[in-house]
Amino acid sequence: MKKIPQKEIHKYLRHNKKFPHVWCPGCSDGIILGATIRAVAEIGWEKDDCAMVSGIGCSSRMPVYVDFNTAHTLHGRALAYATGIKMAKPRLNVIVVTGDGDASAIGGNHLIHACRRNINLTVICINNNIYGMTGGQYSPTTPHGAKASTMPFGNIDNDFDLCKLTIGAGATFVARTTAYHATEMQSIIKAGFEHNGFAFIEVMAACPVIYGRWNKKGDAPAMMKEMKDQYIPLSVFDKLAPDEKMEKSPRGILKAVLEPEYSERYAELVKSLQSREGEKV
Amino acid sequence: MEKTDKAVLMQGNEAIARGAVDAGINFFAGYPITPSTEITEFMSRELTKRGGVFLQMEDEIASIAAIIGASLAGAKSMTATSGPGISLMAEGIGYAKMIEQPCVVVNVMRGGPSTGLPTQPSQADIQQSRWASHGDAPAIVLYPASVLECYELTIRAVNLAEKYRTCVILLSDAMLGHMREPITMPDLNNVQIIDRIKPTIPPEWYKHYPDNPKYRAPLASFGDGYRFHVTGLAHDALGFPTTRPDEIKIMAERLNNKILQNHKDLVQVEIFGDEDARVAIFAAGITARAAKAAIKTAQQHGKKMLLVRPLTIWPFPDEAVTKYLSDKRMIIIPELSQGQLSHEVKRVLGVSKKTRRIVELQKVTGELISPEEILNSSREAH
């Protein structure tokens, strides 16, 4: 991982216009924004060639801060908007920022179908296990038993494992990281950017103000420490006994395979049709 | 496509698809739904062959999202659907209007509500096309009455979307979409195609939402070097979210005024028959065809009748309704809905007047209104 000087980062921010940001004290979103920009800077993408698309929610406010081509779209639909952008202009590097509710509840259908198509988008899914923007309702990733404003007696729903979900749906790059592991996050996001195909990166995030309060998790540092303990490298996780695995979650790149990418596949189809058309004449 | 003077037999849905391609649509995303599917199937063949993009998305919500996204990236984009699909697209249509991004949505109307009558015609989405999305922003909605007009108004819909930077809805119906008529394709050299204006100023001067009363403002696309932000939140001239009342006022007034102040450019009405008749018919789309047949029959019997037919449903042709219908003794409004058009005519003319009768001829059974039914309802006046 390359160290990116602070000055370099500012180049990618609409820093003079849009700060201070909307996120609560202790929120992980700023750390994730930083890692995302550093990953872009490391690859050296031009700002004009990058598009950031989001849905609705805390995490989805991110595009306003970056000096890219940016779209804050509708709740759950970021992937469908991003698909249109990518297919209309495949040379753009399209980054989708979304949250657990945005991606897997209201947007769950678009998520599995984007995985299936293997279109070259990088999804940074910020999972804080709750709907923060609307004040703390339970989401599809709120753990079973945890509390939220609409599960005040403890969550009776089962929660999604977003990485297993996207692997099952055919994503060709799936990774999990946390806001605590900020430098690792940067290299994982970079790998996701460089992956030619659909890349899904779940970033575990702390929401001390809402999720933390409902579940007596303590302040932001306490929640970061919990992430540090709970999310262990995949190689370590694999060696655990089955009952030990119940207590921990793997992090790192969980899947990375190369399969034909959708916009390239489409371009090939167009090319073959046009050469066939040429033969006829 | 070869252009000849010879008439070709064409289906309404095909005419819409051909019109779209000729208008420069190069991106289409859709989801199968009766009775609009032929448009989607045509685009899957034609656009792919031409190097455009065709996507079959996972639902109608994704379809409208994909075409708005594509439009942001510079494409001229369109989708086609019907009843349940247009309901799902409502939020996306509002987003396109809010961020002022050109795109075209075709709604081949079928009976409703809900799954309704998938294979049978209806005109019950007239008000839906105006009010689909929450919040208030005006709509541009066109409605052809023939296969040739399906072609022509599709081109016009694409042009208006590009010109006014908004989502334009083209209505059709199950009958118009599936019927075939011989049409002579217009010479494309004589057809005006409007494209969005690309900005030429330095990026740092670029405002995504300038105050321009004529509203032919330059529109940058993603990847053009003008890095802008769009959001469904209320926004300022640069596209960034705002809660400042003065900035919100400018935005809301612009969305309204760009359509209200351009009625002359937007509203098209056909006047058919005898202007000095005492009996007039106000009808649109497929129903206007029966009205024309009724007028021809009436004229053969020496009776005078007038048809006022809006090709632009929204903005509603208030001026034409006032001009041609104010002095009529009887106004017949046949429609395949429970009063969606007559509601507007009554709004413009007022209901309570002893010297004028408004006859509402409504059918929502999946059948069409016949010329005879229109003539029967007019008999009283003669």
Side-chain angles (χ1 to χ4, degrees):
Chain A
M1 195 207 66
K2 215 170 94 189
K3 184 120 175 71
I4 307 293
Q6 198 74 10
K7 214 171 64 186
E8 277 287 288
I9 307 238
H10 281 203
K11 197 175 87 182
Y12 294 93
L13 293 174
R14 290 167 172 151
H15 56 93
N16 52 349
K17 290 177 199 148
K18 295 298 141 204
F19 284 80
H21 57 63
V22 294
W23 297 314
C24 305
C27 176
S28 297
D29 288 1
I31 299 169
I32 300 160
L33 168 61
T36 304
I37 287 175
R38 286 183 180 91
V40 171
E42 225 185 306
I43 298 175
W45 280 342
E46 292 294 328
K47 293 192 286 184
D48 283 338
D49 298 335
C50 293
M52 188 182 274
V53 186
S54 69
I56 296 292
C58 302
S59 52
S60 291
R61 295 301 283 264
M62 191 184 285
V64 86
Y65 306 117
V66 295
D67 193 17
F68 298 156
N69 305 281
T70 52
H72 179 219
T73 70
L74 300 179
H75 197 21
R77 320 298 170 206
L79 276 165
Y81 282 89
T83 299
I85 292 166
K86 183 69 184 175
M87 290 303 288
K89 220 169 236 177
R91 70 171 170 82
L92 290 175
N93 305 304
V94 184
I95 306 161
V96 176
V97 181
T98 179
D100 42 313
D102 194 52
S104 72
I106 190 167
N109 198 28
H110 309 308
L111 177 63
I112 57 175
H113 288 279
C115 290
R116 174 177 66 83
R117 284 187 197 102
N118 193 32
I119 183 165
N120 190 1
L121 307 171
T122 307
V123 182
I124 297 167
C125 178
I126 304 180
N127 182 359
N128 60 359
N129 307 107
I130 205 152
Y131 287 90
M133 182 78 63
T134 45
Q137 299 74 33
Y138 79 103
S139 87
T141 64
T142 302
H144 184 85
K147 285 184 180 171
S149 71
T150 48
M151 274 293 180
F153 313 111
N155 187 9
I156 60 165
D157 278 21
N158 292 324
D159 48 305
F160 263 144
D161 180 325
L162 296 181
C163 290
K164 280 185 184 163
L165 176 73
T166 48
I167 287 171
T172 50
F173 181 101
V174 176
R176 181 186 287 124
T177 181
T178 86
Y180 174 81
H181 304 91
T183 51
E184 183 196 88
M185 186 195 335
Q186 180 185 331
S187 48
I188 284 180
I189 292 175
K190 179 172 172 270
F193 285 160
E194 286 170 336
H195 176 75
N196 187 23
F198 188 81
F200 182 84
I201 301 160
E202 180 184 27
V203 185
M204 303 311 300
C207 171
V209 170
I210 295 171
Y211 184 79
R213 234 181 246 173
W214 269 102
N215 292 286
K216 302 194 165 47
K217 294 280 182 190
D219 57 5
M223 289 186 80
M224 296 290 254
K225 189 174 174 301
E226 194 182 315
M227 283 197 275
K228 178 192 169 194
D229 295 338
Q230 197 192 328
Y231 296 94
I232 58 174
L234 179 65
S235 54
V236 179
F237 180 83
D238 279 343
K239 286 177 195 140
L240 294 180
D243 57 324
E244 288 174 313
K245 279 186 180 171
M246 302 292 283
E247 306 294 314
K248 302 281 178 189
S249 304
R251 61 167 224 270
I253 295 169
L254 308 180
K255 178 182 177 183
V257 293
L258 273 181
E259 281 174 22
E261 191 276 326
Y262 192 76
S263 64
E264 289 176 8
R265 205 180 245 182
Y266 188 86
E268 274 165 31
L269 172 66
V270 168
K271 215 172 135 188
S272 77
L273 285 173
Q274 287 179 338
S275 65
R276 233 184 285 169
E277 200 77 350
E279 279 164 29
K280 265 189 232 163
V281 179
Chain B
M1 198 195 325
E2 276 177 49
K3 293 281 185 301
T4 63
D5 290 338
K6 255 178 78 178
V8 287
L9 193 63
M10 197 178 288
Q11 189 199 46
N13 278 346
E14 185 189 348
I16 287 176
R18 286 187 186 274
V21 170
D22 286 349
I25 290 290
N26 53 12
F27 191 107
F28 185 100
Y31 185 81
I33 189 167
T34 304
S36 75
T37 305
E38 292 84 3
I39 301 172
T40 308
E41 287 174 340
F42 183 96
M43 295 308 248
S44 77
R45 298 189 297 271
E46 215 46 46
L47 274 191
T48 318
K49 279 194 272 184
R50 287 162 187 251
V53 178
F54 168 83
L55 290 178
Q56 182 172 312
M57 297 301 285
E58 51 272 19
D59 58 23
E60 286 89 348
I61 298 171
S63 302
I64 184 123
I67 68 162
I68 298 168
S71 181
L72 275 169
K76 289 175 87 170
S77 61
M78 182 170 112
T79 185
T81 188
S82 184
I86 201 79
S87 292
L88 286 179
M89 287 182 185
E91 192 190 10
I93 290 169
Y95 183 72
K97 287 181 184 176
M98 185 60 151
I99 68 166
E100 302 185 51
Q101 198 60 41
C103 63
V104 174
V105 174
V106 180
N107 176 5
V108 186
M109 291 184 283
R110 65 191 231 185
S114 192
T115 313
L117 294 161
T119 58
Q120 279 152 288
S122 152
Q123 298 182 311
D125 297 347
I126 297 272
Q127 295 289 345
Q128 199 276 357
S129 67
R130 169 66 185 85
W131 301 105
S133 169
H134 59 278
D136 52 5
I140 301 176
V141 180
L142 314 179
Y143 189 8
S146 70
V147 171
L148 177 63
E149 252 179 34
C150 282
Y151 176 85
E152 291 170 340
L153 287 194
T154 304
I155 294 177
R156 184 165 150 79
V158 178
N159 282 346
L160 292 178
E162 293 287 316
K163 186 172 179 181
Y164 291 97
R165 289 177 57 172
T166 190
C167 173
V168 173
I169 296 177
L170 180 79
L171 293 176
S172 174
D173 58 69
M175 187 58 66
L176 194 53
H178 284 158
M179 74 182 201
R180 289 172 196 275
E181 278 186 312
I183 68 164
T184 307
M185 299 297 284
D187 182 357
L188 256 191
N189 293 321
N190 302 327
V191 177
Q192 190 198 13
I193 303 296
I194 299 175
D195 288 314
R196 64 196 75 171
I197 306 165
K198 292 207 164 199
T200 49
I201 51 165
E204 59 271 25
W205 295 356
Y206 178 71
K207 272 188 182 171
H208 199 60
Y209 303 108
D211 239 4
N212 180 343
K214 287 205 172 144
Y215 223 77
R216 293 241 44 204
L219 177 61
S221 303
F222 279 9
D224 280 358
Y226 296 83
R227 297 182 303 276
F228 57 92
H229 182 71
V230 292
T231 175
L233 288 166
H235 45 262
D236 61 18
L238 293 172
F240 292 112
T242 181
T243 49
R244 274 177 49 182
D246 58 331
E247 289 177 339
I248 296 167
K249 188 166 182 278
I250 292 170
M251 180 201 78
E253 283 177 355
R254 184 179 60 247
L255 293 180
N256 213 24
N257 290 342
K258 70 176 177 182
I259 293 178
L260 295 189
Q261 292 177 358
N262 288 294
H263 268 218
K264 263 200 184 143
D265 185 34
L266 293 168
V267 176
Q268 277 189 335
V269 174
E270 186 197 11
I271 304 298
F272 177 85
D274 313 291
E275 282 190 35
D276 57 347
R278 290 161 68 202
V279 179
I281 309 170
F282 185 86
I286 193 76
T287 310
R289 298 168 71 98
K292 270 192 190 175
I295 289 174
K296 283 179 191 160
T297 308
Q299 286 172 334
Q300 281 164 8
H301 290 89
K303 288 169 185 166
K304 287 180 173 181
M305 263 172 124
L306 175 75
L307 169 70
V308 177
R309 175 174 75 93
L311 284 77
T312 308
I313 302 288
W314 303 105
F316 197 75
D318 288 18
E319 300 86 347
V321 168
T322 308
K323 182 176 170 193
Y324 293 103
L325 299 181
S326 299
D327 61 346
K328 297 295 176 245
R329 289 283 299 280
M330 177 186 257
I331 301 159
I332 306 164
I333 308 170
E335 56 180 321
L336 305 178
S337 83
Q338 293 172 324
Q340 299 195 14
L341 270 185
S342 66
H343 175 83
E344 294 305 317
V345 176
K346 286 192 274 188
R347 172 183 60 77
V348 176
L349 294 179
V351 221
S352 53
K353 209 175 167 195
K354 279 188 186 154
T355 53
R356 175 168 60 227
R357 258 196 77 199
I358 291 179
V359 179
E360 294 172 272
L361 183 55
Q362 298 163 359
K363 220 181 231 190
V364 289
T365 52
E367 302 157 293
L368 295 177
I369 293 170
S370 69
E372 292 71 33
E373 286 171 291
I374 296 173
L375 282 174
N376 285 344
S377 64
S378 76
R379 216 157 269 165
E380 238 173 287
H382 287 289

